[in-house]
Amino acid sequence: MLRKLSIALVLGLMAAPPLLAQPIQPFTTAALKAAQAAGKPVLVDAYASWCPICRKQAPTLDAMAKDPAFDKLLILRLDYDNQSAEKRELGIVQQSTLIGFKGDKETGRLVGVTDPDEIRKLAQSALH
């Protein structure tokens, strides 16, 4: 009986989905500050639903949110149209801005870039 249970457990673990990175979270100043205080890597995405560049960036960010290589990265999506104070605080003047942080240190910033490799490089800068 114990042997059958052990086999079932092992087979169940083998069929389990791989660990995933964190899903994209809505931006809040509190979430950013908490992650920074803990020294965590963060990618802020200044997103506007009407922005064609933002829509081109989104699949890369969505893929990173599912990629185990980015499992430690917190992606925070700032609502460009409704979070004006937060935009000012971060120095964001245009939608489609991506900002990487490792703790409270900014590691890089991209504006209007849709190249998946460049976006991944920015995310990697926050991870390392």
Side-chain angles (χ1 to χ4, degrees), residues 23-118:
I24 297 172
Q25 303 289 320
F27 180 92
T28 66
T29 300
L32 177 62
K33 298 290 184 201
Q36 288 178 323
K40 293 184 178 178
V42 178
L43 183 68
V44 175
D45 169 26
Y47 183 87
S49 61
W50 48 264
C51 169
I53 295 171
C54 298
R55 289 194 304 267
K56 286 182 182 179
Q57 291 172 330
T60 300
L61 297 173
D62 291 341
M64 287 179 2
K66 296 173 185 158
D67 184 341
F70 295 97
D71 64 348
K72 304 244 185 291
L73 182 68
L74 174 62
I75 303 174
L76 296 174
R77 182 162 283 159
L78 184 140
D79 182 338
Y80 184 82
D81 293 321
N82 295 306
Q83 293 186 293
S84 297
E86 293 87 343
K87 284 189 317 194
R88 274 192 305 280
E89 186 176 319
L90 292 170
I92 295 171
V93 296
Q94 184 176 326
Q95 74 282 358
S96 74
T97 298
L98 302 170
I99 308 171
F101 292 96
K102 176 146 181 107
D104 61 358
K105 179 182 178 249
E106 184 174 322
T107 62
R109 184 177 290 237
L110 298 173
V111 179
V113 174
T114 59
D115 179 354
D117 291 335
E118 291 299 313

